[in-house]
Amino acid sequence: MRNDQSAAPVTTPPASALLDIGLHEKIIAIDPDKGPYPIDKLEAHVHNVPHVAISIFLFDNQHLLLQQRASTKYHSAGLWANTVCSHPRWNETPDACAERRLMEELGVPASLNGFGQIDYAAKVGDLYENESVHCFVGQLQHRSLADNFNPIEVAAIEWLTIPQILQQIESQPARFTEWFKIYMATHRDMIE
């Protein structure tokens, strides 16, 4: 649903989300007939509008860096996900977004390589993820990452192997974001 065609009211985000610095950024919505157009990030998630996203997977050998989303996030707050998940701003490339968000969230640069695209849809609380995700992988040594992460974005970090992640998802699925569970269940062969 295009921004100018929307008749439904925009849902009010949780009070904690008022600290989410990108809540009303314009991101890239996808209309299969007319192409991309700008949309407010919250509106895209309220109205289940297909949009562009990025996901980063940083490894140190066999260990994947996970992040716990900050309590100020407007959805999936406090849940564990892959290294970085975000949305390119309107007129920003996925590559530029990945580099920017890696620095904004974790405070580290890393050489990233695009490795594919994952399309998925999931309900997240009262909101929706309906994303065409450009995926990136990179290497980073444990010791290169101190506690430089941005507490407005990230509550904690952890390095786990894929088998450890799968065991935790199986035993405690509520700890993880819906998209990360989808990645691990359906697209793990692309990531490993």
Side-chain angles (χ1 to χ4, degrees):
M1 178 176 307
R2 286 193 184 261
N3 201 12
D4 56 342
Q5 298 172 349
S6 174
V10 173
T11 301
T12 303
S16 64
L18 297 177
L19 297 175
D20 190 325
I21 56 176
L23 186 62
H24 292 291
E25 286 183 330
K26 294 296 182 192
I27 63 171
I28 306 165
I30 304 166
D31 182 320
D33 298 321
K34 298 179 182 174
Y37 64 95
I39 191 169
D40 181 274
K41 182 168 71 171
L42 180 60
E43 183 179 346
H45 290 95
V46 167
H47 297 294
N48 199 16
V49 176
H51 57 277
V52 177
I54 61 105
S55 273
I56 300 172
F57 302 84
L58 285 185
F59 285 89
D60 180 355
N61 294 315
Q62 300 301 309
H63 290 83
L64 174 62
L65 176 60
L66 303 185
Q67 71 153 276
Q68 183 182 29
R69 292 169 59 84
S71 62
T72 56
K73 300 304 265 180
Y74 65 104
H75 72 73
S76 306
L79 299 182
W80 288 88
N82 52 290
T83 310
V84 172
C85 308
S86 194
H87 304 87
R89 294 172 177 154
W90 177 244
N91 288 327
E92 180 180 42
T93 67
D95 296 61
C97 175
E99 290 178 17
R100 174 178 60 84
R101 292 303 292 163
L102 187 57
M103 287 300 296
E104 289 175 353
E105 292 188 23
L106 297 172
V108 294
S111 178
L112 300 173
N113 296 308
F115 67 86
Q117 186 172 318
I118 296 172
D119 295 330
Y120 78 92
K123 187 120 168 72
V124 288
D126 292 333
L127 303 175
Y128 301 90
E129 290 284 350
N130 191 341
E131 300 191 331
S132 181
V133 185
H134 296 257
C135 299
F136 299 86
V137 67
Q139 291 287 321
L140 184 71
Q141 293 182 353
H142 277 85
R143 59 188 167 274
S144 300
L145 184 65
D147 290 338
N148 294 338
F149 56 82
N150 181 346
I152 293 174
E153 299 283 351
V154 180
I157 58 172
E158 186 172 28
W159 293 90
L160 296 174
T161 65
I162 298 295
Q164 289 170 327
I165 292 167
L166 295 174
Q167 188 278 323
Q168 287 193 18
I169 289 173
E170 184 177 333
S171 65
Q172 301 173 353
R175 290 185 64 219
F176 296 91
T177 63
E178 290 303 313
W179 62 88
F180 189 58
K181 291 186 281 191
I182 291 169
Y183 294 163
M184 290 294 104
T186 313
H187 304 287
R188 192 171 63 249
D189 58 326
M190 291 176 63
I191 297 163
E192 291 185 283

